[in-house]
Structures are given as structure tokens and as C-alpha cells.
Amino acid sequence: MTTGSQTPLETQMLEVSVGPQHPSTHGVFRMNVVLDGENIVKLKPVMGYLHRNHEQLAENMSYLGSMPFTDRLDYICGMTNNFAYALAVEKLAGIEVPEKAQYIRVLMAELTRLVNHTLLVGFLLNDLGAFFTPVLYAFREREKILDLFEAVAGSRMMVNYFRFGGVKADLPEGFLGKVKEILRNYPKFLDEFERLLSENEILRSRCQNVGILTKELAVSSSITGPMLRASGVNYDIRKVDRYSIYDRFDFRVPLGSVGDVYDRYYIRILEMRESLKILEQLIKQYPEKGDIISAKGAQAAKTPRMWKPAAGDAYARIEGPKGELGFYVVSDGTPKPYRYHVRPPSFINLTILEDMCLGHKVADAIVILGSVDIVLGEVDR
């Protein structure tokens, strides 16, 4: 600043390391930030603190042996992790999935989407430093769905429920009745959530026009899932690939218009309402009779260390709660994969963090990171 004949003050850039042990980073993750005052002029995401060698471990065990390891990628979304990996191996080995098992799979996937998005909204408000109440509301509703997962899989988070060609166990008695109860009550919860949040002055002032991701940058950076749709890109793998039985359900793909933090928040709210519509249709169509696993899949589960898919490769993907989750598997005709690779949405979606944060304050970077929705187990693998 120049006053009369005085010379401008010389200032220095300040380098700040946020993390890796920081509550806002949702795990062991670091942001190296260069600041001009409080304004971000450079940001580098630093990953790798949680690397668990997932892909190399999978190349040294049976195909089925990797199924429980997929739960640990995104530990909030164990069911959908199982789903994507099962599709890849089924495509590789030419395994069909019975109709009843298809319905069970989609049921678990959409319940998982509710869990993920509910938690994301709760934690986002916590990252804002606004108030803690939404997190408590989110955990209250999440518990009801995790109880269902425990009833069918024996575990609440590390489910290990899917099998090649189907699932490992049928739905227990009364399970669908409990799902119907959730479908009755969840819209009321979402209405309550929205009354608390969507018109909240603090949330709007902190989230609107913050961390804008343009449609062009989102597409060129391979961003997927709610982040992509919040930027106005109509792309949902459930509609594009119509994998499993998603072509039997009528649901819309909500889109944002600005691509800011607020749009990314509200897209999750709208997607939860669409998941409820899918679940309602699924309950009505659900076949009470039928196999939960195909004969070929049952054989693979019975002798996993001896099961050998023919040589070849396959890639399968799903519309996971965080975006496109894909698995690439190569077989050389032995009981172990020759190559096993994961396409994790959390990692890909983090690549444009700097672009969204430039010009904003440090406090805004925390909120922008929260709106990306990452789990470090999936980022580092």
C-alpha cells in the first residue's frame, strides 16, 4: 500500500500445511497451502499416508479372497464396493446373476447411497463450523440402515456380502418390512433436514459461489458422481450403462446449475429422494422366490482357491455414491488375478481440489474439501 511518498510494503507468501492429522481432512491427508494473507494462491493435495497395498495384495490371493478387502476401500460404502468388484469378475468369467439376487444387490446399493449422502451432509455442516446437530441427525438415521446390513450380512460396515453370481445369504424374515418402515420415515427426516439446512443463512453464505467447478473442467478432469452432476452434467452410470436391473426403475438425475459447494450439498439431498423412489419400486417388484446365487457362482464360492477364470480381461463400473467406482481385472488362467486395478472416485475427484480453492480463504478450503466427499481408504488403496 502506497501513502504519499511511502514505498509499498513488501510482503511474503505464507506456506501452511493442513494435516495430515487434522479433523477436517477426514483421515490422514495433507493440503500444502500457499497463502497471500488469507487468500489461497496455491494448493497441493498430499496423499499416501494410508496406503495399504490393496491392488498388489489382490494379485496374490484368490478372486473371492479380495471381496472382503473391497469393504475397506470406502468403509462407508461396503455394499457398493462389493457390487463393482463382483460385476468385474462376473464379466470376466461369464457368470450370470439370478433375478432375485439382482434385486437384492440394487436394494443394498441404494440403501448404501442413503447412508453415504446422509453422512456427507452432516459432516459438511460440521466442517463449516456452523453446528453439530446435523451430524447427530445423520448418525441417527444411518444406524437404522446399518442394523439392516447387520441382519443380512452379519456385519454393519465390513459386509463381505456379495458373491460372484449373486449374494451369500437371502434376506431374513421381516427384512423388507423394516425397509418399508425406513421408506415411510426417511422423507420426513429429509424434510426436517432441509428445514434446518437448505435455507439456513450461515450455510448459504458459506457455500454459495464458493468452490465453483465448471462443467468444462469437470468433464476434462474425469470427475464423476454428484460432483459432476452438481456442475450441470447429465451423466449417471445407472442410466448410461443400465447395469444390473436399473433399467426397470423410473428415476430422474438431479442437476445443479452453478457447480458450487451449495449445489454439491443439495444434489445429495435430491439424490436421496430419488433413491427412495427406486427402493419403493423395488419393493413392489421384488420376487419372493428364486435363487440368490447362480450354479457357476456357487461353485466359485465353494472352491475359491481352485477356481480359474479363462484368460482375458474385464472392466466393470457402477454409479457409486461418490462417483464411478470401477475394477479392472486380468486373468492368466490361474486361481489368482494377473492384474487387479481399482478406479476410485474419491481419488479422481480430489485432483481438481486446487482449481476449486484458488482465490478463496483457508476456511473455505475446508468446506470445499468436505463437499468433495472423500474416504482416505479409497484414495490411497
Side-chain angles (χ1 to χ4, degrees):
M1 181 178 186
T2 304
T3 305
S5 60
Q6 293 180 354
T7 58
L9 293 175
E10 293 185 5
T11 60
Q12 287 183 314
M13 298 295 180
L14 178 66
E15 295 186 16
V16 178
S17 180
V18 182
Q21 305 294 344
H22 192 281
S24 71
T25 58
H26 299 273
V28 276
F29 169 72
R30 169 177 286 171
M31 295 186 293
N32 288 334
V33 186
V34 178
L35 302 173
D36 181 5
E38 288 190 37
N39 296 320
I40 297 172
V41 296
K42 186 177 180 181
L43 185 148
K44 178 183 178 182
V46 182
M47 311 155 196
Y49 294 97
L50 199 64
H51 181 57
R52 292 168 296 120
N53 212 32
H54 176 91
E55 296 178 356
Q56 280 66 49
L57 285 171
E59 292 166 9
N60 288 280
M61 63 178 63
S62 69
Y63 285 85
L64 186 58
S66 293
M67 186 65 77
F69 282 80
T70 65
D71 300 336
R72 276 80 174 168
L73 289 170
D74 178 356
Y75 42 80
I76 295 173
C77 303
M79 288 289 188
T80 47
N81 298 347
N82 284 184
F83 200 170
Y85 178 52
L87 287 178
V89 177
E90 286 159 4
K91 186 175 180 181
L92 175 70
I95 298 176
E96 297 294 329
V97 181
E99 183 179 53
K100 184 176 182 179
Q102 296 276 23
Y103 276 93
I104 294 175
R105 286 180 167 193
V106 173
L107 171 64
M108 299 305 163
E110 295 308 314
L111 287 173
T112 299
R113 202 176 312 276
L114 291 177
V115 168
N116 183 87
H117 288 359
T118 302
L119 284 184
L120 179 277
V121 173
F123 280 124
L124 179 61
L125 270 293
N126 198 34
D127 290 339
L128 274 168
F131 38 98
F132 200 71
T133 305
V135 178
L136 301 179
Y137 283 16
F139 272 101
R140 181 191 66 191
E141 300 306 313
R142 173 195 185 227
E143 288 301 301
K144 299 172 185 177
I145 297 178
L146 293 191
D147 286 344
L148 293 180
F149 289 167
E150 184 177 19
V152 71
S155 176
R156 297 159 61 80
M157 295 175 68
M158 309 305 152
V159 290
N160 186 24
Y161 180 58
F162 284 52
R163 292 293 181 268
F164 309 136
V167 293
K168 74 174 184 180
D170 203 347
L171 301 182
E173 185 177 351
F175 188 91
L176 292 181
K178 294 178 181 178
V179 174
K180 290 178 182 178
E181 184 177 348
I182 287 177
L183 295 180
R184 283 194 300 271
N185 296 326
Y186 228 85
K188 300 175 186 176
F189 158 68
L190 291 178
D191 292 341
E192 181 183 34
F193 228 24
E194 282 213 62
R195 284 196 301 273
L196 180 67
L197 305 177
S198 295
E199 299 298 326
N200 184 278
E201 184 179 348
I202 298 174
L203 186 144
R204 282 184 171 271
S205 64
R206 290 294 308 281
C207 295
Q208 289 183 330
N209 296 312
V210 173
I212 294 176
L213 174 61
T214 65
K215 183 183 300 186
E216 294 75 20
L217 179 59
V219 172
S220 64
S221 303
S222 300
I223 305 304
T224 56
M227 282 191 66
L228 178 67
R229 293 187 286 276
S231 296
V233 181
N234 189 350
Y235 189 84
D236 187 312
I237 297 173
R238 293 173 296 176
K239 292 282 191 181
V240 175
D241 288 0
R242 297 183 175 273
Y243 62 92
S244 189
I245 54 170
Y246 274 106
D247 59 340
R248 302 184 186 184
F249 306 118
D250 180 29
F251 64 98
R252 71 184 186 93
V253 179
L255 301 176
S257 56
V258 180
D260 56 9
V261 171
Y262 189 85
D263 274 357
R264 291 194 283 277
Y265 147 75
Y266 201 60
I267 281 294
R268 267 85 177 204
I269 296 287
L270 296 177
E271 288 195 358
M272 283 191 278
R273 296 191 184 277
E274 296 305 310
S275 289
L276 292 174
K277 292 179 184 178
I278 293 173
L279 290 169
E280 288 172 356
Q281 296 171 65
L282 187 148
I283 295 295
K284 292 178 182 177
Q285 300 177 21
Y286 183 75
E288 292 292 342
K289 297 182 179 180
D291 296 326
I292 60 168
I293 190 169
S294 66
K296 192 172 181 180
Q299 183 60 34
K302 186 177 180 180
T303 57
R305 295 184 181 182
M306 299 300 294
W307 186 65
K308 304 175 184 178
D313 67 320
Y315 176 76
R317 61 182 187 167
I318 67 165
E319 183 62 46
K322 294 175 172 62
E324 178 181 335
L325 173 62
F327 284 81
Y328 176 65
V329 186
V330 179
S331 170
D332 59 359
T334 66
K336 302 176 183 178
Y338 174 77
R339 183 72 177 95
Y340 174 106
H341 178 66
V342 185
R343 192 271 186 205
S346 290
F347 175 73
I348 303 297
N349 292 348
L350 260 183
T351 58
I352 41 77
L353 182 61
E354 180 183 44
D355 299 273
M356 294 190 295
C357 290
L358 291 179
H360 289 294
K361 309 293 186 184
V362 179
D364 293 328
I366 304 302
V367 181
I368 294 168
L369 174 64
S371 72
V372 176
D373 190 11
I374 63 170
V375 165
L376 268 299
E378 185 178 80
V379 172
D380 292 337
R381 300 184 307 290

